[in-house]
Amino acid sequence: MSTILQKARASKGLAFAQIVRTEYTNVPVFISESFLAPLPDPSIIKVSKIDFEDSPLPEYKRLYAVVLDNVLSQEECDQLLFMSEMSVGAHRGGDEPENNGWKPAMVNAGRNYEVLALEYRNSDRIIWDNHVIAQRLWDRVMQAEGMKKYFSILEGEAYQAVCGDSMLGGDRWKVAKQGLNERLRFLKYGPGQFFKEHCDGSYETDDGSQKSFYTYHLYLNDSAQALGIPESSETELLRGGATTFHSADKKRSFDVDPRIGRVLIFQHRRLIHSGDEVTAGIKYTMRSDVMFEFDERSVKVNKNGDIIIDL
């Protein structure tokens, strides 16, 4: 059961919230070969690893989060958002779905079950399962400086905070071929909507062959605060809606503001975060997971029962 659902059930009135079985289907969407093609100049991607030690959250100094700017252009973000709506039947003429297919986002309650918990998660969502887009979005990340080296193989003490103590016993994970979970969750937040503090859970495939250790957030539109536009200025831009990391007592925090084409990747374990309330405008983002496969070749046991790591 997810951390957020446990909190929701413990909250007044949510203990009896109805858990429902959910299934998501899409209609085909044409994807051109040129859409999200590799960048001709990867140096435009700016890589900023979050230094928690030199932040209001020094207790997270061993935890991993990185911000990548200019991963997608505004035109690519607009097109991706349009295509996500097409995947649920919008923009096709004839009988259009209500709200272009956006529906209230629910909270995971275990495999294929969800619960509506508006006190904790209040936004609209489109789920688009597409391995082609997942692969191309991950390929862009791999073009950024240092990302291939960091994410290709998880092994040893350096990844203990990400994967757990099993890394000290010789566990070794390799990034899945497609990189991202093909289940792309597009999110839409209007004024007054939010996602309360929580930690993300790991996503596992049905056959158990892959699991995630990191969250991937792609921001699809700008916020006024990211552009440095003061509160006194009249603008239709998004205000609020930051992804905020919190201390355990919720008294200290660190914000990552939405910006077109910005990607935020952070480990699931121990990083308490929220989607701050939107106070004006609309926030569009897409969330997925970075998927890994256990490398069976990484661990061997000799006749004495000693573990040998095959590098």
Side-chain angles (χ1 to χ4, degrees):
M1 184 183 298
S2 67
T3 303
I4 188 68
L5 178 60
Q6 289 172 333
K7 290 182 179 180
R9 281 192 158 188
S11 180
K12 181 179 179 182
L14 289 180
F16 305 103
Q18 184 179 9
I19 298 176
V20 298
R21 183 175 178 85
T22 53
E23 185 175 351
Y24 297 96
T25 59
N26 303 116
V27 294
V29 177
F30 173 73
I31 305 170
S32 70
E33 291 188 9
S34 62
F35 183 60
L36 297 179
L39 294 170
D41 180 12
S43 67
I44 70 169
I45 301 178
K46 179 182 177 183
V47 180
S48 304
K49 185 177 181 296
I50 296 176
D51 182 3
F52 284 115
E53 187 171 12
D54 188 27
S55 81
L57 304 170
E59 64 269 35
Y60 290 159
K61 65 182 180 180
R62 296 183 63 242
L63 309 189
Y64 185 87
V66 65
V67 176
L68 310 176
D69 279 312
N70 306 317
V71 180
L72 271 69
S73 67
Q74 178 174 345
E75 292 74 17
E76 288 171 328
C77 288
D78 292 344
Q79 181 65 16
L80 186 59
L81 188 59
F82 185 84
M83 292 166 71
S84 73
E85 294 178 341
M86 288 188 69
S87 77
V88 289
H91 314 303
R92 295 175 178 270
D95 188 16
E96 295 284 327
E98 184 179 358
N99 197 26
N100 281 336
W102 294 94
K103 296 181 180 180
M106 303 181 77
V107 174
N108 181 35
R111 197 173 299 280
N112 298 323
Y113 287 90
E114 295 181 300
V115 61
L116 189 64
L118 295 179
E119 290 86 352
Y120 279 89
R121 182 177 199 176
N122 187 350
S123 65
D124 289 337
R125 181 176 67 181
I126 288 174
I127 290 183
W128 183 19
D129 291 336
N130 193 284
H131 71 276
V132 173
I133 296 296
Q135 176 75 69
R136 294 183 187 181
L137 289 173
W138 183 246
D139 288 346
R140 284 283 179 92
V141 169
M142 290 292 93
Q143 288 191 274
E145 184 178 1
M147 295 299 97
K148 183 176 292 186
K149 179 179 179 180
Y150 178 82
F151 284 109
S152 293
I153 297 291
L154 312 183
E155 62 178 342
E157 186 178 356
Y159 294 93
Q160 181 184 5
V162 175
C163 306
D165 291 342
S166 64
M167 302 306 285
L168 301 181
D171 279 8
R172 188 171 190 260
W173 295 84
K174 57 184 179 181
V175 71
K177 182 178 179 181
Q178 81 280 7
L180 295 184
N181 180 3
E182 68 173 25
R183 174 145 289 187
L184 310 175
R185 288 86 97 192
F186 290 82
L187 302 169
K188 177 183 179 182
Y189 293 80
Q193 293 189 308
F194 53 83
F195 197 165
K196 291 290 188 180
E197 296 87 354
H198 63 284
C199 288
D200 291 340
S202 180
Y203 185 97
E204 293 193 33
T205 54
D206 290 340
D207 62 5
S209 64
Q210 296 182 4
K211 69 180 297 185
S212 67
F213 292 104
Y214 301 85
T215 297
Y216 170 105
H217 265 302
L218 167 64
Y219 301 98
L220 297 169
N221 64 326
D222 278 328
S223 61
Q225 59 269 24
L227 300 179
I229 299 176
E231 289 283 347
S232 58
S233 300
E234 292 188 10
T235 176
E236 296 182 356
L237 284 174
L238 162 68
R239 291 193 183 274
T243 300
T244 300
F245 297 106
H246 299 270
S247 61
D249 61 9
K250 313 299 190 296
K251 293 181 179 180
R252 291 172 286 114
S253 62
F254 180 90
D255 287 348
V256 176
D257 290 312
R259 189 160 192 172
I260 286 174
R262 169 174 285 176
V263 170
L264 167 65
I265 302 175
F266 58 93
Q267 66 180 72
H268 295 328
R269 294 181 75 241
R270 297 172 53 197
L271 269 179
I272 304 169
H273 63 283
S274 67
D276 279 0
E277 181 177 344
V278 170
T279 59
I282 302 292
K283 171 187 174 182
Y284 291 103
T285 186
M286 191 282 291
R287 182 206 184 286
S288 187
D289 316 272
V290 187
M291 303 301 295
F292 293 84
E293 299 172 348
F294 187 72
D295 189 351
E296 299 288 351
R297 299 171 301 172
S298 64
V299 178
K300 297 179 181 179
V301 180
N302 66 18
K303 62 182 180 180
N304 296 321
D306 299 321
I307 294 176
I308 302 173
I309 303 175
D310 181 6
L311 299 178

